Amino acid sequence: MAESWLPVEPAGVETPLNPLDPASTLVPPPPDAQLEDAHPPQPPLPEDSAVTRAEKFERNGLIEHSSCTDDLEAPSAKRVKLAEDSRGAQLSTVNGSARVKGVVPIKAEFLVDHKERKLTNPDDDAAEASRHTDDRNGGGPKRQPKGQNTGRSFGSSRDRLQLCASRNTFPEFSPKECKFGDSCRFEHDLRKYLTEGKRGDLDTLGGRCPVWAVKGFCGAGWKCRFVSSHMEEKERENGPKELLLTTDENRYSDITEDQSNQGETEGSNVVNIVSIEAKTSLTKRRIPMNKAEKYAEWLELNSREMEKQFHNRSRAMMAEDEEAENNVVNGGDAEAREELEQNRAQYTEPPFLPSEKRRVYFGPDTPILAPLTTQGNLPFRRMCVDLGAQVTYSEMAMSLPLITGAKSEWALLKAHQSEASPPSFPRGPPVVEGYDVAKDLRFGAQIAGNKPAQVLKATEILTKLCPHLRVIDLNCGCPIDLVFRAGAGSALLDCQSKLEKMLRGMNAVSGEIPITVKIRMGTKDAKPMAQKLIERLTVGGHEAYETGSGPCGVAAITLHGRSRQQRYTRSADWGYISECAALIERLNKERGQLVDTVREPDARSMAATPDQKVYFIGNGDCYSHVDYLTQLEEAKVDAVMIARGALIKPWIFEEIEKQQYLDKSATERLAYVEKFARYGMEVWGSDEVGLGTTRRFLLEWLSFAHRYVPVGIMEHLPPNLQDRPPAWRGRNDLETLLGSDNHKDWIKISEMFLGPAHENFKFMPKHKSNSYEIQAEG
């Protein structure tokens, strides 16, 4: 409590004296006097904004209790502060002013006093395997995580009358014969369909079909919502006028007749297109996978041999054997060496060794777009490549649906031609021995599975049907419960011997395509296991040493600096990533010292990289060029993978190339939305169904993109990916609209380019905080 000093009035004087008068005498009050604070502390009020609340904490030295953060409306898992300080709002000083941890520092003139609006923690698991969620009831009351919208439905977008495929892309008077004849349930009258069966043509994008403008042909045919831009009514001699679709023969020649008949009219600008016949053959098990089957059988046999060899052996005996083997390696006599070789000879050799791999390169000049489920679709990846992404990955594809020919899973492996081109290096290609940039690609596939046989078959079939792949990556980091319970994703972190076998088999059957793996720190937050796993994958585990198999042959290891249990509750642990980077650097050096020793592995089992080193890539919370350069320099990783940072601002790759912040205007950001819409219609079509699909994925992206706060209105830099903004307004109405977290505003943005949404179209955001029922911002 602050002390109060009072002036003492001289005797006989009734009026009080000026305390600042030197003639006044100041004496302390009696010890038992009741004093008041000169500046009593002001407690935080519920209606206070986050900034006002933080200022009160700093001014009065208060500690924010958990009760002050109960209104964040985050899921319970998000409110768990693992290994964090108990303070809810931590303050730091930047340029003499306070910056509140967890809150975006926005300039005062752009703050909005929204008493009903509260800081929220969006569900960032939506960026990782959101397709693989468990929506089953299980016969009992459905338990939904707080804050989650599970079992989302997107409605349907279809024409009122369904036009028969025999009429869709043909002239009015010369259609294809319908094999169902008069019993066909679809519409055959073209003029009736155009007037009554579909909604009117769109006037957005200048009223010109974006698909026809690029390809010279629109696969949607008469169903296209821009059909008036590529049709004509031609007069016939002695007959009525005929409706015809127009084409540009120069561009249309790039599309094969087979693709046109199948409706896969992406043309020459899309690669890894798997035919319907191939998918059908997979479903009927007509495509042989001999290499995968043989190697999977050998893995099973080798496991039984290892189990028989080491069954009932104590840890002490195994330690003695390992010590004796180390003595042999470090200079033992020839007889001891021969004994060790004879011991290894009792194991069955693999049926074949890996093929020589295409050399790959990961470095500071190859920023990587992470595999992003749902959001990492072809239009988004294409846009990121335009902005400077040098390496991209497909969405995570499950192995079993791939080998059974599931159409939805194979669609994930399609890539744009720009992804099939070599990476570009503005400062010149890297001078690395054995690396030829002309033979390199940008696009890699990521798969997941829980059984070695399934993963090996998926790898072999990918090499047969998808020729444009840079690498095949095995996902060992997906935290989603449905994937984890099936034994895939991050569940493999607890089965390191099984994981090593999977990667060894993938490396053997993948032909010239290198194999990589993406992992997390571990499954439990307090028990990181990545270092132990990295050592096993780099030099081989105990079983590999016993059999002389060498390392499993991965070309790169990507580490996400979080555990499965942690999800996104706090920042990625780049300190731990740095420790793993130092470990893998040491292991790469030590492996080079094994030449001409009994431990020297076969060169074909080594990594498909220059000098046979294993690249190490860090992943987590990269949101600016400052984060990117800091992570490269301090953590000593070879490259950095970017996930949520690219979803929120795709031009992060441009910032990395130019090494500066880019304050994108609202008009520039809206142009990216238009580009996504155009790219989406090129992939999914410009008919009613295609527009609905494009709108759905555009809204999924906007659920992340709206979180971008322009650097021009921020008080402090650099921005932090984990920070959440208070209510704010932009520098103009469009910027405010783009920053709205109401999904109704996202739909309004989509309608600028895709027209009004279909009456049956529905969009439910992943997180309930984006579903509040208020009037959409103007």
Side-chain angles (χ1 to χ4, degrees), residues 42-109:
Q42 302 177 3
L45 302 175
E47 62 268 17
D48 287 344
S49 67
V51 175
T52 303
R53 183 181 304 172
E55 289 176 348
K56 290 182 178 181
F57 290 141
E58 181 184 31
R59 181 168 58 247
N60 302 303
L62 299 176
I63 298 179
E64 185 178 11
H65 299 286
S66 59
S67 60
C68 299
T69 59
D70 287 342
D71 60 350
L72 296 184
E73 288 190 352
S76 57
K78 298 292 183 182
R79 295 198 302 265
V80 178
K81 303 295 183 181
L82 301 174
E84 284 281 354
D85 190 351
S86 60
R87 296 182 63 187
Q90 302 181 14
L91 304 176
S92 60
T93 302
V94 181
N95 297 329
S97 60
R99 178 168 182 172
V100 185
K101 183 176 181 180
V103 179
V104 178
I106 297 178
K107 295 177 181 179
E109 59 265 33

Side-chain angles (χ1 to χ4, degrees), residues 704-725:
F704 279 87
H706 83 275
R707 287 161 52 179
Y708 172 72
V709 177
V711 294
I713 70 172
M714 293 182 62
E715 193 76 44
H716 306 300
L717 295 174
N720 190 315
L721 188 57
Q722 297 294 94
D723 289 353
R724 299 293 179 260

Side-chain angles (χ1 to χ4, degrees), residues 284-465:
K284 297 181 178 180
R285 300 183 180 181
R286 292 177 179 173
I287 297 182
M289 306 175 197
N290 299 330
K291 294 176 65 176
E293 291 173 353
K294 289 181 179 179
Y295 210 92
E297 291 175 0
W298 175 80
L299 287 175
E300 184 66 25
L301 175 62
N302 183 256
S303 297
R304 291 197 299 267
E305 291 177 345
M306 294 294 295
E307 184 179 359
K308 180 180 179 180
Q309 176 69 16
F310 295 105
H311 187 61
N312 293 331
R313 291 182 62 182
S314 65
R315 292 182 179 270
M317 293 174 62
M318 295 179 66
E320 291 177 1
D321 291 345
E322 185 173 356
E323 183 179 356
E325 290 165 352
N326 288 333
N327 292 335
V328 171
V329 172
N330 296 328
D333 54 22
E335 184 178 351
R337 284 176 176 269
E338 184 178 356
E339 182 180 354
L340 178 59
E341 293 296 341
Q342 290 178 354
N343 183 52
R344 289 180 171 179
Q346 65 182 314
Y347 299 106
T348 305
E349 292 289 331
F352 50 87
L353 291 175
S355 303
E356 185 177 355
K357 305 297 181 184
R358 185 195 322 116
R359 293 290 186 260
V360 293
Y361 166 77
F362 293 96
D365 42 3
T366 58
I368 306 167
L369 176 64
L372 300 166
T373 301
T374 302
Q375 283 82 6
N377 46 65
L378 191 153
F380 181 77
R381 297 196 313 267
R382 180 182 175 187
M383 182 170 62
C384 287
V385 170
D386 293 344
L387 293 170
Q390 299 302 326
V391 180
T392 63
Y393 284 90
S394 71
E395 302 177 51
M396 183 183 73
M398 301 302 292
S399 297
L400 185 58
L402 282 177
I403 62 180
T404 54
K407 180 180 178 180
S408 59
E409 218 70 15
W410 279 102
L412 305 178
L413 279 304
K414 294 180 182 179
H416 188 259
Q417 183 63 46
S418 61
E419 299 179 272
S421 60
S424 61
F425 300 98
R427 299 173 181 84
V431 182
V432 181
E433 181 181 357
Y435 173 70
D436 185 1
V437 64
K439 297 181 180 179
D440 201 1
L441 306 170
R442 282 189 171 98
F443 178 71
Q446 187 185 66
I447 62 174
N450 60 352
K451 296 180 180 179
Q454 293 177 1
V455 172
L456 267 60
K457 289 180 180 180
T459 302
E460 182 179 2
I461 206 65
L462 282 175
T463 62
K464 291 181 178 180
L465 301 182

Side-chain angles (χ1 to χ4, degrees), residues 571-631:
S571 300
D573 190 347
W574 276 90
Y576 187 81
I577 294 177
S578 178
E579 295 175 7
C580 294
L583 169 65
I584 203 168
E585 182 180 8
R586 176 176 62 83
L587 294 174
N588 281 328
K589 291 180 179 179
E590 290 179 353
R591 193 169 59 178
Q593 301 172 0
L594 300 179
V595 180
D596 296 330
T597 69
V598 71
R599 284 188 175 182
E600 181 183 9
D602 190 294
R604 286 172 291 185
S605 67
M606 303 295 283
T609 58
D611 300 327
Q612 298 178 337
K613 67 172 286 187
V614 177
Y615 284 109
F616 186 63
I617 303 166
N619 172 222
D621 296 347
C622 183
Y623 193 37
S624 67
H625 69 286
V626 174
D627 293 336
Y628 186 85
L629 297 176
T630 300
Q631 291 161 0

Side-chain angles (χ1 to χ4, degrees), residues 625-641:
H625 69 286
V626 174
D627 293 336
Y628 186 85
L629 297 176
T630 300
Q631 291 161 0
L632 286 173
E633 294 172 2
E634 296 184 359
K636 305 300 182 183
V637 294
D638 294 304
V640 176
M641 180 177 284

